[in-house]
Amino acid sequence: MRPSRTDDPVDPIAGLRENLNLLRCSVEQMTGAMAGILHEVRSFDARLSTLEAGLGGSAANQR
């Protein structure tokens, strides 16, 4: 006599749903990180522009 199984069979749709939710969470985290990076780049660009203006634009002319 075979022992009866007590665990439920694996539901492939539930597994796909779980993986999709994990992917969605990862993408949301990356989007937030990229927004933060973009904010830092814009802030750095603004500071650099201020510095260039203070130098009379000579740094921009040397490129």
Side-chain angles (χ1 to χ4, degrees):
M1 182 175 188
R2 288 176 38 194
S4 61
R5 290 184 61 183
T6 57
D7 57 329
D8 292 331
V10 176
D11 181 5
I13 299 299
L16 289 173
R17 173 72 58 202
E18 184 178 333
N19 288 335
L20 181 61
N21 287 336
L22 181 61
L23 177 62
R24 182 181 296 120
C25 180
S26 297
V27 169
E28 288 171 356
Q29 288 176 345
M30 288 189 320
T31 300
M34 291 303 292
I37 292 168
L38 183 58
H39 175 74
E40 291 297 323
V41 167
R42 287 179 176 155
S43 178
F44 179 77
D45 186 43
R47 289 193 305 262
L48 187 59
S49 293
T50 301
L51 179 61
E52 286 178 333
L55 295 175
S58 62
N61 293 332
Q62 293 178 357
R63 289 189 223 169

